[in-house]
Every structure is written in C-alpha cells, then in structure tokens.
Amino acid sequence: MHASILALFSLAAIAAANPSYGPPNENVTITIGAGSSLDGYQLVGYVDNGAGFPEFVTPADAAEDASIFYLFYEDYGHFGWYTMNIDIGDATYATAIKDGAFEGPIVFIDPATYGTSIWSATTATSALTWTGDTRDFPYACTADGHIQLAIYTPGTEPTDCEQITLEFHKA
C-alpha cells in the first residue's frame, strides 16, 4: 500500500512537471501557421528604450533579432497554463496584454509582475492558442511599421489586424 501511494505521488509529480498535452518548459520559436497571408512569419522581440513588444518578421529578418521565447507552464495542480518570456540583451521580459486589459496588443512586462498571458500549447499539433477567454484569438496587427501580436474577440479587432494561428517549434 505504501509503495502504491508513493508511485501515485511520483506519477503526479511527473505529470505536473510535464503536462501530457503540451511541452515541458522549454525554449521555442513561434511562427504564424498556414492559412494566413503572413504564413511562416516568426515572432521576435522588439525593444526600444526599455519598452517593447513581440512582433512578427519574415524568417530572414528573424535570424537578426531575439527570436527564442521560453514557454513556462504555470502549474496549479489540476489546471495550469503557459506564459511566454524572452531574453533580449541583458533583460528578461514576460508578455501580457497592454495595460492588463482583456483585449489588445501584447507587450513586454517585468517577469516578476503578473500580467494577462494565458496560453495553451499542444505538442501533437504544435499549436499555441490563447486561453485567457475562449471568445478571443491571436491577431497580427500592423501599427507604426511593425506587425504586433494582439488578442481580440472576432469583430472587435482594428481594421489593420488579421486573425492568425500560432505554432511553436523547439529551438
């Protein structure tokens, strides 16, 4: 009986550390999936004067920018989600919807603070989906010469946005 209980705790610890539906905590690149006019564009980090955001660039341009994100599984026992961090220069940034809103552009925040960044990663399909609200989806929005990642409910997005699917790839 004692061995059975220890085995259950061991299996629970392994499952919590490595969720079966997603990858373990790891470095990834993130791209726009098929079906978009931006198919293959890669998510990179853009920072200017300490402020920044994830933006999409062509694969050729991605080789020149910080493009490795870290998917971290926030484990709360019977549920959890992924957050995305990135190192740019000597700083680490987390991602969140701007101003802590429920919709809008994704920006970089201090990783020690809490922000709205709730993702689901599915290993079988390499899909990275927004799970903060089931009505919302990722968008690529053009602003000030950048193509920025954003989250919107369909029909509420600005006119310069395109709904996209995201894929992650082990770096």
Side-chain angles (χ1 to χ4, degrees):
M1 178 73 164
H2 181 66
S4 297
I5 292 172
L6 287 176
L8 280 175
F9 283 133
S10 295
L11 288 174
I14 290 168
N18 296 303
S20 60
Y21 52 88
N25 301 332
E26 66 185 3
N27 292 329
V28 297
T29 58
I30 299 170
T31 58
I32 295 177
S36 166
S37 66
L38 302 170
D39 182 8
Y41 272 56
Q42 187 170 330
L43 194 63
V44 300
Y46 172 79
V47 175
D48 186 24
N49 292 323
F53 51 85
E55 71 170 330
F56 294 103
V57 298
T58 65
D61 289 339
E64 300 173 16
D65 294 314
S67 59
I68 305 298
F69 284 82
Y70 182 75
L71 285 182
F72 179 75
Y73 188 72
E74 299 280 351
D75 185 4
Y76 293 95
H78 62 284
F79 71 96
W81 60 81
Y82 286 91
T83 58
M84 290 189 301
N85 290 355
I86 188 170
D87 292 330
I88 302 174
D90 294 332
T92 298
Y93 299 92
T95 58
I97 297 175
K98 186 176 182 180
D99 299 327
F102 294 106
E103 289 186 326
I106 300 287
V107 296
F108 290 136
I109 63 171
D110 181 334
T113 62
Y114 176 79
T116 47
S117 182
I118 304 173
W119 298 91
S120 175
T122 307
T123 304
T125 62
S126 297
L128 184 64
T129 55
W130 178 256
T131 55
D133 186 324
T134 58
R135 298 172 296 174
D136 298 339
F137 296 93
Y139 282 81
C141 300
T142 304
D144 300 323
H146 300 275
I147 303 172
Q148 188 171 355
L149 175 61
I151 302 296
Y152 289 103
T153 302
T156 66
E157 76 279 1
T159 57
D160 59 351
C161 293
E162 175 183 341
Q163 187 173 340
I164 57 171
T165 58
L166 295 176
E167 298 175 350
F168 66 91
H169 314 274
K170 188 173 180 175

